[in-house]
Structure formats: structure tokens, C-alpha cells
Amino acid sequence: MNLHLIDALIIGAYLTATIAIGFWISKRASRSIRNYFLGGNQIPWYVLGVSDASGMFDVSGTMWMVYLLFVYGLKSIWIPWLWPVFNQIILMAFLSTWLRRSGVMTGAEWIRFRFGEGRGARLAHLVVIVFALLNVIGFLAYAFIGIGKFASTFLPWALSADPTTNAKLWGLVLIAITTVYVAKGGMFSVVFTEILQFSIMTVASISVGVLVMRQVSPETLNQFIPAGWRSPWFGRTLDLDWTRLMPAVNQRIATDGWTMFSAFWGMLLFKGLLQAGAGPAPNYDMQRILSTRSPKDAAKMNGLVNIVLLIPRYMLITGLTVLALAHFSPQLRAMGENVDFELVLPLAMRSFIPTGLLGLLIAALLAAFMSNFAATVNAAPAYIVNDIYKRYIRPEADQRTLVRMSYVSAVAVVVVGTAIGLFVGSLNTMVQWIVSALYGGYTASNLLKWYWWRFNAYGYFWGMAAGIAAAALVPLMLPNVAPIFAFPAVLALSLVGCIAGTLLTPPDDAEVLERFYLRVRPWGFWRPVHARLAQTHPGLIANTAFKRDMFNVAVGIVWQTALTATGIFIVLRDTRSLMISASLVVVTAAILKLTWYDKLEDYPADLAVVDAHRVAPEPEALAATAP
């Protein structure tokens, strides 16, 4: 593609500014390992919230969601429950607060806080490191696939005559640029470049939405979509028939395995609630939570993500989808069975976005890639350096050595993730493996660790080990089953490991369990631990907020889904549907203000002496302050 000089200058200015920020801020990040990974717990919650939203606004995910909206219409608002997107709601409602009360630096360090230092705890610690690195590497491969397809379409220099090779080479170039500023600047660099990136993305997203509203009327769009495309509701089956308009879409729906949409929706909700209730995977989302100043700030950060992310992002997704449907349907139809719907986004942009806005939008989507990639990369060295190198190899290493090792480990995980991405051709394939198979293996162990006192380190280890093995083997054993429908098998195998590992071994040390419960104060099956602690801590308050938290989760999911639909209805100019979704947003937000926001607390009242605006003290110190 031949870019106009104005577009090329906008893109060049953005890339230069991003790298400059990384180097400018690197001196502050290199002061200590906590500064490098968590920004010293001094970054405000609203800045971290925008940063977290920016990390989720990735180019691969945007390409995938444009494909989903193109093919499934308004019914696509449910499909991101695959991740599940409403994990932000469960985090907001209670889990972010619980996680931040731990005061740790990584998910693996949290495992030691929950299970102690025995042999079982060491095994649990190691298996969560393995999962974290697999998770990071999987997301890096996913990012590599998306950015290669995107960049090879837009950037004017062909690095190879072969389109596939050209995409992979551009992916390598952009990953190398991003790795430089991430490895150099750590969390400070990631967060502050993401503020710049999110600003660009928001302006570009709203601009594209407004442009499309002016260019494509609802009547024009109706010529290119099947009956039912505009409705989010469905029956037993999907009830979308593309035969007359684009037969290849029907084949793609069959390949995805989601034709029985009511069963698919039920599995999304079942899987999503379990996975979200297990807490965040050990990635950039967990790192943002642990970087906040206090538990209340962690909850507010996750709430803010939904507000700043969903409407602008879906205005962009809808705008590009509508452009492709209205202007590019004949070309896609002509491709027949060989059509690649993941190229809908770059093709729509290349053909229909005007000069100036095109440069801004390319810069925005490069920013989306770089912010997501940066956040993912920055999460990995914390595990390699803090949980392997510092713990097992050089416990006496000084801060400068640890920061230098962080540079090396960041580059290493990028190389491995990119190498895997070279051999995986489809975003949808990578997405479904990560969210259904890999996260399926994560779910059981990480659900039970919060809510059941008897669940011990050996149970965690064997549940995770069985889950990771199942994530690798079940897709091979059930090749014709959509990954989400294989989720129960992966979950069941992991659950067997959890229960057997727990009941065949002794409980964890009572002192470790009491320290965890005193600090975090979860609800669930903790009565024996609470009873023991109450003997030495008169006035100990049990967490009785289960019903309120579940109510807030239900209201929050409606709120989040309505925000998503609002962004789509704005661009479609569907006034009636927009009024309904906007009203739902306002009503549910008002409810959450009363039942969630006004009830937030850093620590239970019996531990209220803790200063919420500094790094939480170690559990021993906190226990000593209790009455």
C-alpha cells in the first residue's frame, strides 16, 4: 500500500515518541525490582485503569472482533465471554480487593503466601510459573499473528514477494521495536506509553465511528446483512443464513462449531463464571492489580477499565465492519471458500479511510498492538527473575543485577513466543486454545484456592499439572470438537487432580492458613480457620458479603454488556436499541454506585489501622496490628 506522506509522518512520529518515552523513563524503573515490575506501587488507580484498558485494546483482538461482528452480527456481543470479558466485573466486585491485600509482586509469590514454604508449596509455586510462562508465550504468538497480517497490508515497503512471508517479517520488525522500550523501561514505561497509546486509539476509534455514520445509512447496510444480524437475541440455533449474500460465511460458522448457539451461550456462561471466579491469570491484568496503591484502588481500577474501553473500541469495530459489509462484500464473495475474514479490518481501512485519519488509525492500531504486547512481555520477567532466578539461583543478587536479568528474560520470552507464532496461521485457532484449553486447565485449582480452606498445595499442584496436560492432550483426542465444548473434559481432569491431591495429603500448616485468612478475608468454606483465629483475635469479622457480591456480579455483567451494545448501536444509528442499552447502562451504574462503590473497603474493620495509601505490610506485621 502506498501511504500518503501525511499518514507516514503520523506513524513515524508515534513510533519515535513511544521509544523515546521508554528510554526517558527507564532510569526511574531501574531503581529496584519492585519499581521495574510494579511501578513502586505509586501509580494512581485511574492511570493504571487506562493502562489496563489500553493493554486489552490489542490489534489481534480487534481484528478477531471485527470478524465476529461481520459474521455473527449483534450476537457477537456474547462471544467475548470466551475470555471471559466479565472477569473484569468479578475482579471489580471482590477479587481485586482480595488479591491486592496479599501485598505480593507476582502470582507465583501469591502461591507461597497462600500455601506456605513446604514441599507441596514449592511444587505449586513451580507449576504456576510454568503456566504463567505458557500463558505469556501463547499471547505473544497470538499478537505476532495479528500484527503481521495487519502491518503487511498497510506499511508501504514489501519485505518479501510472498504475502505470508512478508506478514511474518513485518511481525518480527514491530516486535523488535516494542521489545526495546518494554525491556528497557519496565512497568513505568509500559504504563506511560499506554496512556499515549490509549489517547490515540480513542480519538481514532470515535473518528472512524463518526465517519461511518455519515457514509453508510442503515438502509444501505441492510442490503448486505441477513435477517437477524441486527438482533443480539437467538433461539436454539444461530438463525443466521448467509446463503444468498455470502455462502462462505455459513461454512465459517460451521467450522467455528457455534451453530447450536444456545448451547454455546450456556457453555460461555458456565465456563466464564468459573474462570472469572478463579481470579486473573498470571499476566498483565494481575500485574496491574498488584501495582495499585491499595485494595480499594484495585477494585476501582477494574471498574474503570469497562468505562473507558468498551464504547470507543466497539465504535471502531462496528465502523470497520460496516465499511467492509457496505463496500467490500462483492470482493469477499468472489474469494469463495478461500476468504480470510481476519483480513476484513485491514482491507476496510485500506480502501475507505481518508488520508490523515488513516495515518492516525494505523498509529492507533500499532499502539493497540504495542500496548498489549508490552503489557504481556512485562509480566513474564517477574516470574523468571523474581520467582526463579532470585529464589533458586542467586538469592543474594543486587537490584541492578535483577533488573539486567529482567532485560534478558523479556527478550527470551519474546523470541520463544514469536517462534511459535511463525507456525500458527489463524488468530481464531490461537484464541480458542488459550481461552478454552489452557484456561480450562487453570480453572479448578485457582477457583478452589480462594474458597476452600482444606484445599492444599499438593491439590493445587496436581490440579494444575493435570489441567496443563489436559489442555495439550484433549484437543488432540477430540479434534472435531470445538475447544469450548472440550472445556468440561479439561476441567474434570483438573478437578480430579485437585481433589485427589488434597485428600490424599495432610492439610497445609495452620499458621499459613490463618495468616492468609486474616489478611485476605475471603468468603467461602473457611469456618474452621475463622474459629481458630477468633480465639486469639477477639472481634474478628467474617466476610458475609457473598450475596451482595453475587448481586453486584449479575448487575455488573448486564452493565458491561449494555456498554458493549451501546458502542455498536451508536454507529448503526439504531435509535430505539441505543435508548434501551443506554438506559440499562445508567440504571445498572446507579445500582452499582450504592451496592458496590459505596461499600468498598481496603481491609476489614478489625484491621482498619492499615494505611491504605502505602504498600501493604507483610502478613506478619499486619497480624501484629490486629486487636
Side-chain angles (χ1 to χ4, degrees):
M1 179 181 180
N2 293 318
L3 284 176
H4 192 281
L5 178 62
I6 293 174
D7 295 322
L9 288 173
I10 291 172
I11 296 166
Y14 159 70
L15 292 173
T16 303
T18 297
I19 296 172
I21 288 173
F23 277 88
W24 172 64
I25 215 161
S26 64
K27 185 175 292 186
R28 184 172 184 181
S30 63
R31 291 176 185 169
S32 71
I33 200 71
R34 195 170 193 96
N35 267 28
Y36 187 87
F37 292 134
L38 302 183
N41 292 101
Q42 294 303 311
I43 302 173
W45 65 269
Y46 46 87
V47 175
L48 286 167
V50 173
S51 170
D52 203 16
S54 182
M56 295 175 190
F57 200 144
D58 65 302
V59 69
S60 296
T62 304
M63 290 172 69
W64 182 62
M65 289 177 180
V66 167
Y67 150 69
L68 292 177
L69 185 58
F70 187 104
V71 171
Y72 295 93
L74 263 292
K75 294 167 183 62
S76 67
I77 65 172
W78 311 110
I79 299 176
W81 285 10
L82 271 169
W83 289 111
V85 292
F86 55 72
N87 73 327
Q88 293 299 313
I89 300 302
I90 289 182
L91 288 171
M92 175 189 90
F94 60 93
L95 265 184
S96 275
T97 303
W98 294 3
L99 179 61
R100 181 60 187 86
R101 285 174 181 172
S102 67
V104 300
M105 193 181 301
T106 68
E109 193 175 325
W110 188 94
I111 291 298
R112 283 157 43 207
F113 171 56
R114 167 64 175 82
F115 296 115
E117 298 285 351
R119 182 171 181 271
R122 289 194 294 273
L123 289 172
H125 179 251
L126 289 173
V127 79
V128 82
I129 293 171
V130 170
F131 177 86
L133 294 178
L134 283 174
N135 184 60
V136 167
I137 289 167
F139 272 105
L140 293 181
Y142 156 80
F144 172 77
I145 296 165
I147 195 59
K149 288 184 177 182
F150 174 81
S152 63
T153 303
F154 287 104
L155 300 182
W157 308 279
L159 303 180
S160 170
D162 176 60
T164 302
T165 304
N166 189 48
K168 291 178 178 179
L169 290 174
W170 269 116
L172 291 172
V173 169
L174 290 169
I175 278 174
I177 292 172
T178 310
T179 303
V180 167
Y181 85 79
V182 178
K184 185 67 177 169
M187 176 61 92
F188 278 114
S189 175
V190 169
V191 168
F192 286 100
T193 52
E194 283 182 341
I195 298 300
L196 167 66
Q197 290 159 349
F198 191 79
S199 301
I200 295 170
M201 288 186 285
T202 300
V203 170
S205 297
I206 294 172
S207 299
V208 169
V210 172
L211 173 73
V212 173
M213 291 168 68
R214 291 178 175 176
Q215 283 193 2
V216 182
S217 68
E219 294 74 24
T220 300
L221 178 62
N222 287 338
Q223 300 173 32
F224 300 99
I225 56 176
W229 189 93
R230 287 179 173 272
S231 172
W233 310 115
F234 51 88
R236 187 174 62 88
T237 59
L238 188 62
D239 298 329
L240 282 178
D241 185 4
W242 283 88
T243 303
R244 181 180 60 85
L245 298 165
M246 203 177 299
V249 178
N250 285 338
Q251 180 58 43
R252 188 59 185 262
I253 292 171
T255 301
D256 286 343
W258 304 337
T259 304
M260 303 297 291
F261 207 76
S262 59
F264 172 62
W265 186 90
M267 187 60 70
L268 287 176
L269 186 61
F270 168 71
K271 181 183 81 71
L273 288 173
L274 290 179
Q275 289 184 343
N283 58 19
Y284 63 85
D285 201 20
M286 178 181 285
Q287 195 178 20
R288 296 299 185 283
I289 294 167
L290 296 175
S291 297
T292 54
R293 293 175 175 174
S294 70
K296 282 174 64 173
D297 279 2
K300 290 187 286 187
M301 181 203 73
N302 284 113
L304 181 65
V305 167
N306 301 282
I307 297 170
V308 300
L309 173 65
L310 292 173
I311 290 178
R313 187 179 195 186
Y314 273 90
M315 287 185 70
L316 172 65
I317 289 166
T318 310
L320 293 173
T321 303
V322 169
L323 282 178
L325 283 164
H327 296 295
F328 208 66
S329 286
Q331 292 93 319
L332 290 172
R333 182 184 176 93
M335 293 179 189
E337 294 182 358
N338 296 320
V339 62
D340 183 354
F341 290 105
E342 289 169 1
L343 291 175
V344 166
L345 179 149
L347 291 173
M349 285 177 56
R350 185 175 69 181
S351 303
F352 307 111
I353 302 296
T355 298
L357 180 55
L358 178 62
L360 184 66
L361 187 54
I362 293 174
L365 288 170
L366 286 174
F369 158 73
M370 295 174 83
S371 62
N372 176 267
F373 186 85
T376 303
V377 171
N378 193 53
Y383 292 92
I384 296 173
V385 176
N386 191 62
D387 295 304
I388 298 176
Y389 184 78
K390 182 182 176 184
R391 181 169 169 79
Y392 296 108
I393 300 173
R394 286 192 63 189
E396 77 288 353
D398 60 28
Q399 294 295 319
R400 288 188 175 277
T401 300
L402 295 175
V403 171
R404 284 196 296 270
M405 281 301 301
S406 300
Y407 300 161
V408 174
S409 57
V411 173
V413 294
V414 168
V415 170
V416 175
T418 302
I420 293 172
L422 288 169
F423 297 99
V424 180
S426 167
L427 283 175
N428 203 43
T429 300
M430 202 71 219
V431 167
Q432 293 209 48
W433 180 78
I434 291 171
V435 301
S436 296
L438 186 60
Y439 279 15
Y442 172 86
T443 303
S445 289
N446 289 280
L447 190 70
L448 293 173
K449 73 185 183 186
W450 290 107
Y451 310 109
W452 184 28
W453 75 272
R454 179 63 178 84
F455 183 60
N456 65 9
Y458 285 104
Y460 186 91
F461 169 76
W462 287 112
M464 284 288 285
I468 292 171
L473 296 176
V474 168
L476 299 176
M477 297 166 63
L478 303 172
N480 297 320
V481 176
I484 189 169
F485 292 113
F487 169 78
V490 176
L491 178 68
L493 290 171
S494 179
L495 195 58
V496 168
C498 289
I499 302 300
T502 295
L503 298 183
L504 294 175
T505 55
D508 285 324
D509 181 72
E511 186 178 337
V512 171
L513 292 172
E514 290 169 10
R515 183 183 65 182
F516 171 82
Y517 179 79
L518 181 69
R519 182 78 172 273
V520 175
R521 209 65 59 87
W523 40 253
F525 301 97
W526 288 91
R527 183 174 294 176
V529 178
H530 181 90
R532 286 198 305 268
L533 266 174
Q535 296 174 12
T536 55
H537 293 74
L540 184 72
I541 301 172
N543 187 338
T544 58
F546 171 76
K547 291 181 179 178
R548 186 183 73 215
D549 289 345
M550 293 301 98
F551 175 79
N552 287 336
V553 167
V555 174
I557 291 174
V558 174
W559 174 65
Q560 185 190 60
T561 306
L563 280 168
T564 300
T566 297
I568 298 175
F569 290 136
I570 288 171
V571 178
L572 294 183
R573 290 194 279 173
D574 187 339
T575 306
R576 179 177 176 277
S577 298
L578 176 60
M579 293 296 292
I580 294 171
S581 65
S583 298
L584 276 174
V585 169
V586 172
V587 170
T588 51
I591 294 171
L592 288 171
K593 168 65 169 62
L594 298 174
T595 62
W596 167 68
Y597 188 87
D598 290 348
K599 305 292 185 181
L600 288 174
E601 60 180 9
D602 283 319
Y603 295 91
D606 54 303
L607 297 178
V609 293
V610 176
D611 180 2
H613 297 289
R614 60 186 173 89
V615 178
E618 289 300 312
E620 294 82 356
L622 182 59
T625 67

